[in-house]
Amino acid sequence: MAGMGTFNLSSSSCFRPSSLSFSPRPSVFPMKGFPGMPLRSRFPRIFAFTSNDIKVGSNIEVDGAPWRVIEFLHVKPGKGAAFVRTKMRNYVTGNTVEKTFRAGGTINEANIVKETKQYTYKDGSQFVFMDLTSYEEIRLNESDVGDKTKWLKEGMDCNLLFWNGKVIDFDLPITVKLTIVDVDPGLRGDTAQGGSKPATLDTGAVVNVPLFVNVGDDILVDTRTGQYMSRA
């Protein structure tokens, strides 16, 4: 099963409400109020489900913070109660922890809302995203964007994730079209053998491309892996 794996957890990692501590980044921006603004920031909802519902990609709330499940494994030992092992990433701090839940135990599902916004421009150290319907602007700091800036291009639609009226993360398109601005033309070699060379893209990212690719070519890149896919 995808996302399932085995990893060691100490007995001290069993679920206890006080077992984790959080330090939310100060750069997470609260939403501004606008007429007709969606009710996501006014009436946050919490949904209860059980640990048996956990799967890769589940959004859960633990100790008042939102987490995304990135691995899980249902375990039924020969003796003792069944449990669920998980590896989770904190949306706010970016920390990853391993945690165990009792099978069938109630867990709060984080009410994370996904909305499409367009990246419009960079203003100093902030990245500005706009809702093309309401023209609402949302600004993220460089620390919020992180390595994703390598693939971020003006006019690109991204999915911003909201929790309690704050942006906690955003998703890039899986495939982006970027232009090669610098590559060594002297690296030719035998293209039939699948050789590659580093190329600099218009966003500043560097990827390995086939030997036949040249400056000015548009290429498709997988933002999840940072790998060249094909010429556009």
Side-chain angles (χ1 to χ4, degrees):
M1 181 181 296
M4 296 182 65
T6 305
F7 42 88
N8 295 324
L9 256 64
S10 64
S11 58
S12 62
S13 62
C14 294
F15 177 62
R16 286 192 287 269
S18 61
S19 60
L20 295 174
S21 60
F22 306 95
S23 298
R25 294 185 311 216
S27 57
V28 176
F29 285 80
M31 290 293 299
K32 298 179 180 179
F34 289 86
M37 179 179 175
L39 297 181
R40 59 170 183 267
S41 61
R42 303 178 188 173
F43 304 104
R45 297 170 296 165
I46 299 297
F47 302 93
F49 70 153
T50 73
S51 59
N52 294 334
D53 300 316
I54 287 177
K55 59 184 179 180
V56 172
S58 292
N59 297 314
I60 63 178
E61 189 167 316
V62 179
D63 290 352
W67 297 77
R68 180 181 177 86
V69 176
I70 54 180
E71 291 182 15
F72 78 99
L73 179 65
H74 291 276
V75 180
K76 294 182 179 180
K79 294 182 180 180
F83 58 92
V84 181
R85 288 175 175 169
T86 68
K87 182 178 288 186
M88 313 184 304
R89 183 178 67 84
N90 188 306
Y91 274 111
V92 178
T93 66
N95 294 336
T96 300
V97 302
E98 297 175 351
K99 195 168 186 62
T100 299
F101 298 92
R102 178 175 55 84
T106 300
I107 303 174
N108 285 330
E109 183 177 10
N111 179 32
I112 294 177
V113 179
K114 181 183 296 187
E115 297 183 8
T116 301
K117 311 291 182 184
Q118 186 180 89
Y119 170 59
T120 53
Y121 64 98
K122 186 178 181 183
D123 183 12
S125 62
Q126 295 184 336
F127 295 81
V128 182
F129 295 80
M130 179 179 288
D131 186 304
L132 296 182
T133 300
S134 66
Y135 302 106
E136 169 191 356
E137 283 191 352
I138 299 170
R139 294 170 176 259
L140 300 181
N141 285 339
E142 290 180 340
S143 58
D144 299 312
V145 177
D147 289 342
K148 294 179 181 179
T149 185
K150 295 188 300 184
W151 318 117
L152 199 56
K153 197 169 183 178
E154 292 183 2
M156 179 181 292
D157 288 340
C158 301
N159 289 321
L160 271 62
L161 306 183
F162 295 84
W163 175 72
N164 287 351
K166 296 179 292 187
V167 178
I168 55 174
D169 201 358
F170 75 96
D171 295 329
L172 293 164
I174 293 177
T175 303
V176 295
K177 183 173 76 170
L178 301 172
T179 304
I180 294 178
V181 297
D182 186 33
V183 68
D184 190 346
L187 294 177
R188 300 187 183 278
D190 184 356
T191 58
Q193 297 301 315
S196 64
K197 56 186 177 183
T200 303
L201 308 179
D202 52 348
T203 58
V206 177
V207 300
N208 287 322
V209 299
L211 297 176
F212 57 79
V213 175
N214 299 303
V215 171
D217 287 349
D218 291 330
I219 65 171
L220 299 180
V221 178
D222 188 325
T223 58
R224 299 168 299 181
T225 62
Q227 293 182 344
Y228 166 90
M229 299 176 64
S230 67
R231 280 198 288 199

